[in-house]
Amino acid sequence: MMKLPSGEMGLPWIGETVEFYKAQRSNQLFDSFFQPRIKKHGNIFKTKLMGSPTVVVNGAAANKFFMSNEFKLVVSSWPTSSVELMGKNSIMEKQGDSHRCLRGIITSTLNVSGLTAMVPRMCSSIHNHLQKNWQDKEEISLYRSTKMLTFTIVLECLFGIGIEPETLFGVFERVLEGVLSPPVNIPGTKFGRAKKARSEIEKKLVGEIRRKREAMEGGRDEEDGLLLSKLVAALIRGEITEDEVVDNVVLLVFAAHDTTSYAITMTFKMLANHPDSYSLLLKEHEDIAKNKRPGEALTFEDVKKMEYTWQVARETMRLNPPIFGSFRKATTDIEFEGFTIPRGWKVLWTTYGTHYDETYFPDPMSFNPSRFADPIQSYAFIPFGGGPRLCAGYQLAKLNILVLVHYVVTRYNWSLVYPDERILMDPLPFPSKGMPIKISPKSHHN
Ligand code: HEM
């Protein structure tokens, strides 16, 4: 006998979608949507979202089961508008060998030698960004600044794309705005605008890809070890198509951009509100800076010393995960913990379900970075997901957060303008006022 998890399916067709969206917009998904249902029905409950019967799963065992059974019992499942805007050839839509092939190319730029080469490049992108956007300013929007910066870093340090970041930023933003809006392609809708922006990007990228291909085939372009060269090399070898290159560039910018900038913004917010943690963190960076000449770039070895900073960043992402969870689709009837999840139903894993559970994180709502000094149970801390779809850019995000924190705290005194600024979601979380901060340069850098 099939036993479905308990829970409510809400209204016909729309189910509990309205409650879900309402909670999401005000960044209350845990308090207003997940927690009351977990209390009533347990860690595994059913609901209906956006027309699909969905089982929400929480807890380390469930995370492990559903994440590691990707491709076997479930496959990731994105809304139509995301697929149309990212493209059908992006890694999110791939399975099996073609997934492995693309993932291999992406992660090969983020191995030890890739990261070692990336650190000085990232230092230079960050230095230039601060010179251009922070110099002589008394107040800046930390969120807007880090968005532009993470975008620049993806283009310059991950891909090695020679197009001026400023000329692409606005167009990419327009694509992202349509990613979770209804897929109605008529002028004037968010989705319509996003589609148009996507074709603009496509044109520019195709030009860049063909130039690179010609140069590489003519033996003129040195292998720079960056992702665009690696993708074009795979294109020349016939392993992937031009469409695949374009779709994955768009997807990676999307995956990297708002997530990392939100993590950075919230790291500063947590530091501002926890001065003891800030003192410890500052000491870590001053110790590293002491051994550097003025203006000398960091090395990968320096970044490895930023252990406490990484504890702060992880604790920040535990409390403020940039991605609240992700949908899967059951490709077969699934038995889990005595329940059946019928084939075709969606499964939603959530970060909150373990991040806010005292079983895994005692006193879960308090900010305590040093809890990460001890090993954490696997599949309990999941801001980057897990299993075959574990975030492919995890190392880049980590480097970006650590290196930027280093530059800001060693060069600037800073404080939040609004210590209690609200966080909203659309669909990713963001500070409602762009998190303005007051800044003044530290004297030894004048
Ligand atoms: C703090 C920053 C970031 C967070 C919190 C984050 C989070 C995540 C999560 C939760 C997933 C899994 C989604 C799922 O299971 O459905 C994921 C996948 C992915 N992320 Fe990230 N991400 C971050 C930064 C980045 C960056 C910088 C890149 C780009 C280089 C990136 C590229 C990817 C890719 C390509 C995937 C898909 C992997 C696959 O399907 O095999 N992410 N990320």
Side-chain angles (χ1 to χ4, degrees):
M1 242 311 263
M2 213 163 78
K3 186 179 166 219
L4 294 171
S6 68
E8 278 133 43
M9 302 303 266
L11 298 169
W13 202 84
I14 62 165
E16 298 192 298
T17 311
V18 173
E19 290 90 329
F20 185 84
Y21 274 150
K22 219 169 128 192
Q24 187 181 21
R25 261 201 307 279
S26 53
N27 193 32
Q28 295 290 316
L29 267 179
F30 183 69
D31 289 352
S32 307
F33 195 87
F34 295 129
Q35 193 181 38
R37 286 164 180 77
I38 291 172
K39 278 206 176 124
K40 195 159 166 201
H41 307 294
N43 265 347
I44 315 274
F45 64 86
K46 70 172 185 294
T47 174
K48 192 174 204 180
L49 298 173
M50 290 146 275
S52 299
T54 302
V55 174
V56 180
V57 300
N58 298 286
N63 295 341
K64 182 170 181 195
F65 181 81
F66 290 98
M67 286 173 177
S68 60
N69 276 309
E70 177 78 14
F71 308 135
K72 296 181 197 142
L73 303 178
V74 293
V75 288
S76 74
S77 167
W78 290 86
T80 318
S81 39
S82 312
V83 178
E84 288 232 354
L85 290 171
M86 296 302 114
K88 295 182 180 59
N89 295 297
S90 94
I91 184 168
M92 310 304 276
E93 292 299 299
K94 298 280 179 185
Q95 300 182 29
D97 284 346
S98 54
H99 175 255
R100 215 165 332 180
C101 168
L102 270 172
R103 214 184 143 90
I105 299 172
I106 296 166
T107 51
S108 73
T109 59
L110 299 172
N111 58 18
V112 173
S113 70
L115 292 172
T116 305
M118 191 178 284
V119 174
R121 226 182 290 126
M122 192 180 278
C123 288
S124 135
S125 295
I126 290 176
H127 173 82
N128 293 342
H129 178 85
L130 294 179
Q131 289 275 319
K132 200 161 153 190
N133 300 288
W134 289 40
Q135 185 99 311
D136 303 323
K137 298 259 167 64
E138 286 173 8
E139 191 177 309
I140 54 117
S141 157
L142 185 62
Y143 183 64
R144 274 195 286 282
S145 173
T146 51
K147 261 173 87 137
M148 184 66 212
L149 179 61
T150 52
F151 182 78
T152 305
I153 285 176
V154 174
L155 291 196
E156 290 181 351
C157 307
L158 179 67
F159 284 111
I161 290 180
I163 305 174
E164 260 299 300
E166 274 86 356
T167 65
L168 278 179
F169 184 70
V171 201
F172 263 101
E173 289 287 289
R174 248 180 293 141
V175 177
L176 302 192
E177 280 165 19
V179 161
L180 290 181
S181 54
V184 189
N185 191 7
I186 44 172
T189 60
K190 265 192 187 174
F191 185 75
R193 273 198 301 276
K195 270 294 239 195
K196 205 159 150 248
R198 154 123 200 164
S199 54
E200 244 175 84
I201 291 171
E202 225 164 89
K203 250 186 250 142
K204 287 199 171 141
L205 285 179
V206 166
E208 178 81 0
I209 291 163
R210 293 192 180 154
R211 245 191 325 277
K212 186 122 201 145
R213 179 174 190 160
E214 251 175 55
M216 284 170 78
E217 281 177 332
R220 275 175 282 122
D221 212 19
E222 304 240 318
E223 174 56 61
D224 58 10
L226 297 183
L227 189 49
L228 192 66
S229 303
K230 291 197 186 234
L231 289 168
V232 173
L235 173 64
I236 293 170
R237 290 195 302 271
E239 290 166 14
I240 57 176
T241 62
E242 193 174 84
D243 288 346
E244 282 179 316
V245 181
V246 172
D247 287 0
N248 282 288
V249 174
V250 177
L251 181 275
L252 281 159
V253 172
F254 167 65
H257 177 45
D258 281 357
T259 47
T260 312
S261 46
Y262 182 68
I264 293 170
T265 312
M266 294 312 284
T267 299
F268 280 96
K269 181 178 165 123
M270 294 321 235
L271 288 170
N273 293 337
H274 297 88
D276 293 350
S277 288
Y278 190 51
S279 306
L280 281 173
L281 178 139
L282 190 54
K283 168 126 191 358
E284 186 165 86
H285 292 280
E286 283 171 345
D287 285 348
I288 294 167
K290 260 199 321 245
N291 297 314
K292 299 261 145 198
R293 281 174 278 114
E296 187 183 348
L298 295 170
T299 62
F300 191 38
E301 288 308 309
D302 294 322
V303 177
K304 283 191 202 148
K305 292 182 193 141
M306 301 178 186
E307 278 181 25
Y308 183 70
T309 310
W310 187 231
Q311 289 174 18
V312 168
R314 277 179 290 169
E315 180 69 339
T316 300
M317 286 186 274
R318 181 182 71 79
L319 287 166
N320 309 279
I323 293 182
F324 71 83
S326 178
F327 288 92
R328 300 289 189 261
K329 191 171 186 170
T331 51
T332 173
D333 289 350
I334 301 173
E335 297 295 326
F336 182 70
E337 291 190 352
F339 296 118
T340 303
I341 300 171
R343 178 167 175 233
W345 280 39
K346 301 250 172 121
V347 174
L348 170 61
W349 61 261
T350 82
T351 40
Y352 303 122
T354 48
H355 289 189
Y356 293 177
D357 184 337
E358 63 186 359
T359 324
Y360 311 106
F361 299 100
D363 194 6
M365 299 326 276
S366 74
F367 179 76
N368 174 16
S370 58
R371 66 169 97 233
F372 282 92
D374 299 323
I376 303 288
Q377 182 177 339
S378 66
Y379 289 95
F381 178 65
I382 48 163
F384 296 100
R389 290 213 184 264
L390 173 74
C391 177
Y394 164 81
Q395 292 291 352
L396 178 67
K398 179 174 175 183
L399 216 59
N400 193 346
I401 296 168
L402 296 179
V403 177
L404 180 65
V405 167
H406 178 82
Y407 271 75
V408 173
V409 304
T410 55
R411 292 184 176 198
Y412 289 91
N413 295 307
W414 57 277
S415 60
L416 299 182
V417 174
Y418 306 110
D420 297 319
E421 187 172 344
R422 281 184 67 203
I423 304 297
L424 303 175
M425 268 181 157
D426 184 28
L428 264 67
F430 66 96
S432 58
K433 296 185 167 123
M435 203 166 292
I437 58 169
K438 288 203 183 309
I439 51 173
S440 62
K442 289 194 168 173
S443 51
H444 57 276
H445 273 285
N446 273 341

